[in-house]
Amino acid sequence: MRDFLKKTLIAGLCLASVALVWAADEGGVIQRFEKADKNGDGKITLAELKALTENAKRAQNLFNRFDKDGDGGITRAELQAGAQSMMAAKAATMKKPGKNPAAKPEPEKSEPSKTDAIKSAAATDQRHSTRDPIAAAAAIDHEINLELTKAKVPASPLASDSEFIRRVSLDLRGRIPSLSETQAFLKNTGSDKRRKLIDEYLADEEYGEHFAIIWYHRIAKPDDDNMRALVKNELQPWLADGFNQNRGWDGIVKDILTATGDRQHSPATTFWLSAVNDAKLGQPDPAKATAAASRLFMGVRLECCQCHNHPFTELKQTDFWGTAAFFAQTHAKGATQKAAKDNATPDVFEQAGFTEKRKKKGETAEKTPPAPFGSVAIPFEEGQTVHATFLGGKEPDVKGQSTLRPIFAEWLTASSNPYFARAAVNKLWANFFGRGIVDPIDDMQADSPNTHPALLSFLADEFAASKYDQKHLIRCICNSHVYQRSSQPTPENKSDDVLYSKMPLKIMTADMLYDSLATALGHQVADAERRGKGMAGKKQQGGPRQEFRKFFHAESDDDAGIVADYSHGVPQVLRLMNAKQINDTSTTVAHLMQTATKPDKIIAGLYATVLSREPTPAEITRAKKFIATDKDAANAYGDLMWALLNTSEFLFNH
Amino acid sequence: MFSTLDNSLSRRDWLKLSSLGALSLPVSGWLNVLAARAAGPSQSKARHKSCILLFMEGGPSHIDTFDPKPGNSSSEIKPISTAVPGVQISEHFPKLATKMKDMALLRGMSTGEGSHGRARYYMHTGYRGGVGGVIHPSMGAVASNFLGRETDELPNFVSIGDRSYGAGYAGPLHAPVEVARAAAGIENLHVPDTMPAFDKRTRLLDEMEKSFVDRMQIPSLEAHRATYQRASALMHSPKSKAFDISNEPDALREAYGRNAFGEGCLLARRLVEQGVSFVEVQLGKWDTHTNNAKRVQALSEQVDPAMSTLLTDLQQRGMLDSTLVIWMGEFGRTPKVGKQGGRDHYPKAWTSVMAGGGLKLGQAVGRTDKEGGTVEEGKITAVDFMATVCKALGIDYTKELHTPAGRPMRVVDKGETPVAELF
């Protein structure tokens, strides 16, 4: 995180675009300010600024510019003022003469600030594909519409701006937009405001944090064997940085599959620690790692052929163990119950011929004799060993090698690999549409139906050609009409579930619900809080978020990060209806009653806060009637907000 | 219903359920349909068999509980005689010893999973976990599915204590309602203000919901509607008092034991009395790698009064024959005590107990050798056990279901032999 901040600062120092980003993001200013302000005295000194960059001269220039009163420190106010004047000056040089945007410094209307924010993000965007997402979006539309025409199913019209901002905010940042975000977007008359909003959200740190949550839970599935090795979640921030810096997916996966070192310094080792088996004395189990790697990165359920050949595919038992052989010499230290008690941080390493020597009395673990280098022994089948073999049958030459995982990782992430890009694309598609092009998403080798084979191939090729640029892939999808269609069915496409004639409904995941409730209720989700300091932050891993997640998450959620079908039972609904925190609508209601006096305005504010849209005239009439029945107006507005929060319109992403 | 389980089962079920709710009744609205019904006269007689699972998390030592081995030098308990001649159990179960005629000991358990998580999953579902990429429904979800009714005001599956295993692919309708502490009852059952205020705002919610549902016409939204209906019905139902054990007489509460497990057993009886199909009560800390003798004694002293009182209580209410009570852990423990004074995991030979349920009781089925390390007679696998539970509850476990991915799967895996001696 600190590295990311530093890079952002360095990248932006000469243009002071950092300051522009700060100016556009009030909460962010406070947090970044506090980060830069090492000694916490409320001022950034020259030394503190220099600590953030290697270029002392630039730091000096910037410092002089911002420290208006010359007292040797930049206060928050000076920072904001300086940023605004620089922004205005820059905007003036960019715009045609005659217009004077400097006269209108309100950040909300000033397009340049957003553009620069994106540029600044692009500076840390490690992939930043130059490929055209709009052309790819058109290709997506073409493929989808082809099938619709064939089936004679008409598409629903495009979603309204309200539907769009809510959907894209949930899909890219994992929460509903705030009231001010919604209002600004609805007011904006720019013709390409949707494309810009997608870019803006992709540049928001919450983007990486949201996808990190999804992938963390896919990778680190706690069970009785691994829970002690996973007590600390260091992987999620690591993933968030990776997604925010837009590292190529190949690089992230390679890091994960070849990770060594202790969990704290090498969070990617978490993948291997999730595979530890208590019965194997805290050693990563090659079988568990194989099942996970194939499901996560290849879209194949190899574990089906752990014990027998796959019933629906060509996959054989030897395919499973051939892959497992690459992982057979990966070991861990300190991933046992005892080590966890001693607060040890577990360590992962790859070493040929290593065997765990400690033996507990009475341990009933199966003891398999170690197989020769490059092979794995099949448990319970004495003497049976399998050579490391790539899926498809090729055996790598392992002579002279000391490690096997890098060989596997290179093969997997090569552009010629038939699994890697397709699996990633299919999973990402499912994030947006609630189902994969091949569904179920991690069983792509089986005879699972592929509704749009040409589209899947196109997207996989595009992803590979962009060097596995996830932000690019998201731009391609989110700029398509297919993604931007309304979820409301027409009489003719009502029964279509697979052709994407309309946007399918998805129930919010537990994390989305948590962040969206916090956003709507104004529960300490000022930006600084969200960014990880407060209890409501996405990065915050213990406490209320974890408890909430445990309570609301659906079992299917872990694998997919998506839940298309309804997943709440009676206990969840009771909590939504009756829990004190969720019923505490006072902050939002009080705020709206302060800023407006007319009931229509307050009602509109509540609708925009919870549902990101304006109420219809009929809804306003109904709400006013309801408010009039209560002497205590604040209480009545609270009840109205309660009802809004319990509608399916709130609880679903549509 | 279960036999048609496929990826749209939950939707179809929900549709069926919501069709019971009168969408066309403008006065009460969809949320309050069941609530209105709940306010009517309640049927309190159990209409089907129910099950109470007393789950001993961690894996109790069979040798120190229900399969004493005086010939094993590591044994630290004395066996005592019971109401059934020839059947002996631990000295720390004096009350249960008098109830032996209502119990059957299954001493031939041999299940082959020695790791807590996998063993717990295996014993709850009858399937090994993590194979085939599906999450199997646990015993409680299966019971809920076969024995429960959609119109029941109370949930069909309640889990008391730790989080249990859930509904898996059977869907959220059959997921357990969890009660963390029996004495505290069900979480968020009560509104922060008043029921009239709640009814007022649910009427508003009703109206709001209708326009969105009409616009979208999506089955998932019916599920939302149905779950809210059900939660609201529970809040209004006089039966929800079943979750409040404070109404029970002091003497009975003392008899069950004033601890989490005793209170859990009492709550289980109250729920079954109101027709709940399946209640699981957990008692943890049986993972006695150290200090085995003392810890097993302390835990036994909680089990003895609670379980024996439960059996007596059910009997006195005429419910014992229709209520299957199961006592089990995820495995047994090693016949030898290690250096640290404890026993380790041992799935090869262990004991579970069944009581009530109209079974042939008053017997010990199966036998281990004199060390308690090998099953010599009457071997019961996890699959056999699951089939036995289903058979006792009147569930056709040979039915083939379909997972959401369309894969056929039996309620209980093939190769099952229910324990014949019990029927």
Side-chain angles (χ1 to χ4, degrees), chain A residues 44 91 117-118 161 225 441 582 600 642:
Chain A
I44 302 175
I118 293 154
D161 282 346
D225 289 320
I441 54 169
I582 299 173
D600 298 48
W642 175 93

Side-chain angles (χ1 to χ4, degrees), chain B residues 102 310-311 314-315 317-325 355-358:
Chain B
D102 300 311
L310 176 64
L311 298 182
L314 288 169
Q315 208 159 30
R317 287 161 200 267
M319 294 160 58
L320 189 57
D321 278 352
S322 63
T323 309
L324 173 68
V325 179

Side-chain angles (χ1 to χ4, degrees), chain B residues 59-70:
Chain B
S61 160
H62 53 298
I63 292 164
D64 303 311
T65 55
F66 288 106
D67 193 12
K69 294 289 167 188

Side-chain angles (χ1 to χ4, degrees), chain B residues 151-340:
Chain B
T151 50
D152 290 334
E153 296 146 31
L154 294 186
N156 292 312
F157 176 14
V158 178
S159 167
I160 303 167
D162 224 0
R163 195 161 201 191
S164 176
Y165 287 82
Y169 63 77
L173 183 58
H174 303 293
V177 164
E178 282 149 9
V179 176
R181 286 184 308 123
I186 190 169
E187 200 193 348
N188 294 310
L189 185 61
H190 302 293
V191 289
D193 46 0
T194 65
M195 283 310 278
F198 173 80
D199 288 340
K200 189 180 160 201
R201 57 180 180 262
T202 50
R203 276 196 296 276
L204 179 67
L205 172 58
D206 255 6
E207 290 172 29
M208 288 176 161
E209 190 61 20
K210 193 170 183 324
S211 60
F212 187 68
V213 171
D214 286 353
R215 212 147 39 90
M216 293 300 179
Q217 309 168 41
I218 303 283
S220 290
L221 300 181
E222 304 294 346
H224 172 72
R225 184 198 298 252
T227 313
Y228 269 68
Q229 257 180 356
R230 209 154 168 177
S232 171
L234 178 62
M235 287 171 66
H236 283 89
S237 171
K239 285 188 183 178
S240 71
K241 287 203 187 74
F243 282 98
D244 182 4
I245 61 168
S246 67
N247 297 323
E248 292 287 339
D250 270 357
L252 190 62
R253 293 200 58 175
E254 290 300 334
Y256 272 98
R258 289 201 185 255
N259 51 59
F261 182 66
E263 287 166 343
C265 288
L266 175 55
L267 177 55
R269 189 225 81 210
R270 287 180 64 88
L271 292 171
V272 167
E273 200 172 18
Q274 293 297 332
V276 173
S277 310
F278 195 99
V279 184
E280 173 167 348
V281 188
Q282 284 127 3
L283 177 61
K285 298 205 179 2
W286 286 96
D287 197 17
T288 52
H289 289 287
T290 57
N291 201 11
N292 176 66
K294 273 212 167 133
R295 287 170 62 190
V296 170
Q297 178 179 347
L299 290 163
S300 298
E301 284 166 1
Q302 287 185 55
V303 170
D304 190 47
M307 187 169 166
S308 60
T309 307
L310 176 64
L311 298 182
T312 306
D313 203 4
L314 288 169
Q315 208 159 30
Q316 284 172 354
R317 287 161 200 267
M319 294 160 58
L320 189 57
D321 278 352
S322 63
T323 309
L324 173 68
V325 179
I326 303 168
W327 180 96
M328 69 167 187
E330 61 260 43
F331 39 59
R333 303 198 83 82
T334 43
K336 283 185 181 150
V337 170
K339 276 183 192 150
Q340 291 174 302

Side-chain angles (χ1 to χ4, degrees), chain A residues 54-73:
Chain A
E54 278 85 30
N55 191 330
K57 202 175 166 194
R58 274 185 193 168
Q60 179 75 60
N61 286 342
L62 198 69
F63 187 81
N64 293 346
R65 228 169 147 168
F66 278 86
D67 183 19
K68 290 281 177 213
D69 60 3
D71 67 351

Side-chain angles (χ1 to χ4, degrees), chain A residues 259-539:
Chain A
T260 54
D262 73 89
R263 190 191 58 212
Q264 193 187 344
H265 296 97
S266 178
T269 54
T270 303
F271 173 83
W272 298 96
L273 296 172
S274 319
V276 301
N277 193 335
D278 235 18
K280 291 189 193 303
L281 303 170
Q283 295 303 300
D285 182 344
K288 234 172 142 183
T290 301
S294 63
R295 221 182 49 235
L296 292 169
F297 309 125
M298 297 158 75
V300 181
R301 283 185 192 154
L302 265 187
E303 75 255 33
C304 292
C305 38
Q306 182 174 347
C307 321
H308 53 77
N309 296 345
H310 198 297
F312 303 147
T313 70
E314 302 287 292
L315 296 173
K316 302 270 182 297
Q317 194 182 0
T318 44
D319 285 321
F320 179 89
W321 292 103
T323 304
F326 287 102
F327 306 150
Q329 48 171 1
T330 304
H331 303 283
K333 267 190 292 229
T336 58
Q337 185 170 4
K338 192 177 170 303
K341 273 187 193 146
D342 302 339
N343 269 330
T345 307
D347 202 335
V348 171
F349 59 99
E350 187 174 346
Q351 187 185 322
F354 176 88
T355 44
E356 183 64 26
K357 291 218 180 70
R358 284 169 297 137
K359 228 192 274 174
K360 273 200 273 174
K361 269 272 158 88
E363 184 75 55
T364 56
E366 84 267 13
K367 286 167 207 81
T368 319
F373 178 73
S375 293
V376 69
I378 302 184
F380 309 117
E381 293 186 24
E382 219 158 302
Q384 268 222 57
T385 60
V386 176
H387 280 291
T389 314
F390 299 126
L391 220 52
K394 269 194 191 163
E395 267 186 52
D397 183 12
V398 298
K399 262 185 204 151
Q401 303 285 342
S402 61
T403 56
L404 295 170
R405 292 182 304 166
I407 301 172
F408 178 80
E410 281 303 330
W411 167 80
L412 177 67
T413 57
S415 60
S416 56
N417 185 286
Y419 305 99
F420 186 64
R422 288 166 66 86
V425 162
N426 198 43
K427 275 194 165 64
L428 196 66
W429 182 269
N431 266 106
F432 294 107
F433 294 98
R435 68 190 309 281
I437 296 171
V438 177
D439 206 72
I441 54 169
D442 51 8
D443 207 1
M444 297 177 76
Q445 281 310 104
D447 56 0
S448 314
N450 181 341
T451 55
H452 297 80
L455 176 61
L456 182 63
S457 299
F458 167 77
L459 287 173
D461 291 348
E462 182 69 27
F463 191 44
S466 72
K467 297 199 173 109
Y468 308 108
D469 176 341
Q470 179 166 297
K471 286 190 181 183
H472 172 67
L473 187 57
I474 289 174
R475 281 189 189 98
C476 298
I477 293 172
C478 291
N479 280 299
S480 72
H481 285 183
V482 175
Y483 177 74
Q484 296 188 15
R485 266 171 199 154
S486 171
S487 49
Q488 192 172 329
T490 68
E492 296 82 20
N493 70 21
K494 211 171 78 177
S495 52
D496 163 40
D497 281 336
V498 295
L499 294 177
Y500 307 101
S501 58
K502 56 189 183 291
M503 175 53 79
L505 263 62
K506 297 164 285 180
I507 185 116
M508 284 192 207
T509 61
D511 288 292
M512 283 181 181
L513 183 58
Y514 184 85
D515 287 323
S516 297
L517 280 170
T519 303
L521 294 166
H523 284 182
Q524 311 246 307
V525 280
D527 279 358
E529 295 288 349
R530 272 207 327 271
R531 293 276 187 264
K533 285 189 122 183
M535 296 306 273
K538 272 201 181 68
K539 287 183 181 163

